Amino acid sequence: MAQEVSEPENNPPGEGKTLNRKILSLAVPSLGSLLAEPLMVVADSAMIGHVGTTELAGLTLASSIDVFIVGLCIFLVYTTTAVASRQLGAGDRRGAVKTGVDGAWLGLLVGMVIAVVLAVGAAPIVGLFGASPAVTFQGAAYLRAAAPSMVGMMLVLAGTGAMRGQLDARTPLVISLTGAIANVALNAALIFGAGLGVTGAGLGTSLASLGMGVAFGVKIIKGALGTRVSLRPEFWAIFGALKGGIPLMIRTLTMQIVILATLWVAASQGEVEVAGRQIAATTWTIAANLHDAIAIATQALIGFELGRADRPAVRALIKRTSAWGIGLGIILGLVIAGTSLWWPWVFTSDPAVLEAATLALAVSAVFQPLAGIVFVFDGILIGANDSWYLALAGLVNLAVYVPALVAVWRFAGSGATGLAWLWGCYCGVFFLARLATLGRRIRQDTWMRLT
């Protein structure tokens, strides 16, 4: 890790390598670590989908709860990245390392609390979706078995933020890909070999996540020892990080409410729509992580440039990453459209689910360029730690989306067409609202607080 930390001082952004190469040097390894989690979901969904439609629907509900919680705690990544990269840009390497240590302690404490809550309340939590008793039973079984994974995942989030803040994208890549491979092997053995079904999927996820969390913890400890930074928890700093994460929690909460509300409407349409939505959502998540790789590079470089107080470099970075976002969106749209007829077969052979998923994937393809620019804009403001505006924008976006979602729920009906309207509402209305609120802020200079 010491090597990655020292590079920015010798080769700061704006000198040496071209801007494109600097973006790629962070985006490409970040992509690998980002894809690890959705690929774990793909593996779970593909395996469980061939066990049965009811089991797949249950996994969909339970895994959505896990995604909701992890998303709510994403401030462990974003806050640590923004603060550490700015400290690094200002020449305070030890401060950047200490930020990662405090973030890891916070992640450990938060993960332990969440794990207990999920283990104890699995059945009533899944029951909130109002699905059939059979689907609820399967979902609760998965959620209960996967509860310990939250300890590992919170350490993964904190560790990822610590590494990215030091412009080290390689460590998250190695750990995340290793964990994803282990998860696939464990799930295959537990789901089919041991015959545990969705419980096996949850246990496999827990074991893999805990292993990843331990790996990040070891890396943080080595980095602290190498820079002579104390490993003792400083509770004032931990509390400050938690307090500083409140606006990002609000922002993420609004986004997760949108996702869960969309899932609730799908659940009201029926099991086929829930299963079809899972295929479309899993595919969207994979594409979103490709977009997020560019956004992560933007976060780290924006924070670094703001630490160097280089306003022209910030504006040049915005222009270049925006072009990358739109271009990637066009490519992904073409790929999703071209694979929409055969990709759903990876998850199911149910004709009704195949029809619903194929149409939803076509909708996803249309809105990929929009998603690309939205992710970049999001990364810009996260890297600048403009968290309270992001919270306000999230509330505005939610207020715009809910009436549109209610209209879909009331008038779109069920079946493949109903799911297409629902998915179009999410990809179109919600992301257009995000584009408007984020774009308005970026056109101004008030978020550009230089140190």
Side-chain angles (χ1 to χ4, degrees):
M1 180 174 66
Q3 180 182 358
E4 288 84 1
V5 173
S6 64
E7 284 177 356
E9 293 185 346
N10 297 328
N11 299 291
E15 299 176 14
K17 297 179 180 179
T18 65
L19 186 54
N20 282 340
R21 289 182 64 191
K22 280 177 256 174
I23 294 170
L24 285 174
S25 69
L26 289 170
V28 172
S30 294
L31 173 61
S33 60
L34 284 168
L35 285 177
E37 184 179 354
L39 287 176
M40 289 165 68
V41 176
V42 169
D44 287 354
S45 300
M47 293 180 195
I48 295 299
H50 289 288
V51 172
T53 299
T54 300
E55 287 80 0
L56 178 59
L59 174 69
T60 298
L61 300 183
S63 62
S64 296
I65 293 167
D66 282 347
V67 169
F68 172 83
I69 293 171
V70 172
L72 192 62
C73 296
I74 200 69
F75 73 90
L76 290 167
V77 177
Y78 291 160
T79 302
T80 306
T81 298
V83 173
S85 63
R86 189 180 287 250
Q87 289 171 325
L88 195 66
D92 185 8
R93 184 186 309 173
R94 295 184 76 250
V97 174
K98 182 58 178 171
T99 295
V101 171
D102 293 334
W105 277 110
L106 178 59
L108 180 63
L109 295 173
V110 170
M112 292 172 65
V113 172
I114 294 173
V116 171
V117 171
L118 292 183
V120 174
I125 292 172
V126 176
L128 293 174
F129 286 101
S132 68
V135 172
T136 300
F137 176 81
Q138 295 293 337
Y142 177 87
L143 192 62
R144 193 176 298 111
S149 71
M150 287 296 113
V151 178
M153 284 308 303
M154 295 305 112
L155 282 172
V156 168
L157 293 179
T160 299
M163 299 301 105
R164 289 177 185 169
Q166 297 167 48
L167 304 188
D168 173 11
R170 180 180 177 274
T171 296
L173 169 64
V174 173
I175 295 175
S176 298
L177 285 183
T178 302
I181 294 170
N183 181 74
V184 172
L186 287 166
N187 282 6
L190 294 170
I191 293 171
F192 300 114
L196 295 178
V198 293
T199 299
L203 289 174
T205 298
S206 289
L207 292 172
S209 297
L210 288 170
M212 292 162 63
V214 169
F216 270 111
V218 170
K219 189 68 176 179
I220 290 172
I221 291 171
K222 287 183 177 179
L225 294 176
T227 52
R228 298 183 180 179
V229 169
S230 174
L231 290 168
R232 291 194 304 271
E234 296 184 5
F235 290 101
W236 65 268
I238 293 172
F239 178 77
L242 182 60
K243 183 179 178 182
I246 290 175
L248 286 177
M249 289 179 69
I250 295 172
R251 169 252 185 198
T252 306
L253 180 61
T254 62
M255 297 176 68
Q256 295 299 327
I257 289 173
V258 165
I259 293 171
L260 290 179
T262 305
L263 177 58
W264 183 87
V265 173
S268 71
Q269 293 175 330
E271 285 188 10
V272 168
E273 288 78 4
V274 172
R277 179 259 175 206
Q278 174 70 355
I279 296 171
T282 300
T283 307
W284 181 271
T285 300
I286 294 173
N289 280 278
L290 286 161
H291 292 304
D292 211 19
I294 305 298
I296 286 169
T298 304
Q299 289 174 32
L301 292 173
I302 284 286
F304 191 90
E305 296 294 2
L306 290 175
R308 296 175 66 229
D310 193 338
R311 188 185 300 270
V314 170
R315 283 296 174 190
L317 183 62
I318 292 172
K319 182 178 180 181
R320 187 61 56 87
T321 53
S322 296
W324 272 88
I326 295 173
L328 179 60
I330 293 172
I331 294 171
L332 289 175
L334 293 174
V335 171
I336 293 173
T339 58
S340 61
L341 291 177
W342 63 264
W343 174 244
W345 283 90
V346 174
F347 302 88
T348 184
S349 57
D350 186 318
V353 176
L354 289 171
E355 180 186 5
T358 298
L359 194 54
L361 288 174
V363 173
S364 295
V366 172
F367 290 106
Q368 285 302 312
L370 172 62
I373 190 64
V374 166
F375 272 86
V376 168
F377 283 3
D378 209 36
I380 291 166
L381 296 184
I382 290 172
N385 208 20
D386 194 20
S387 54
W388 279 112
Y389 181 82
L390 287 166
L392 176 61
L395 293 171
V396 172
N397 298 337
L398 180 62
V400 171
Y401 181 68
V402 168
L405 183 63
V406 171
V408 170
W409 175 57
R410 290 279 295 173
F411 304 112
S414 59
T417 302
L419 179 61
W421 275 106
L422 176 62
W423 201 239
C425 184
Y426 172 73
C427 301
V429 175
F430 180 55
F431 274 77
L432 283 170
R434 292 181 66 188
L435 177 66
T437 53
L438 297 174
R440 177 182 180 275
R441 182 68 163 179
I442 288 171
R443 286 194 297 270
Q444 305 167 353
D445 285 338
T446 52
W447 60 271
M448 223 183 285
R449 294 180 291 275
L450 304 177
T451 58

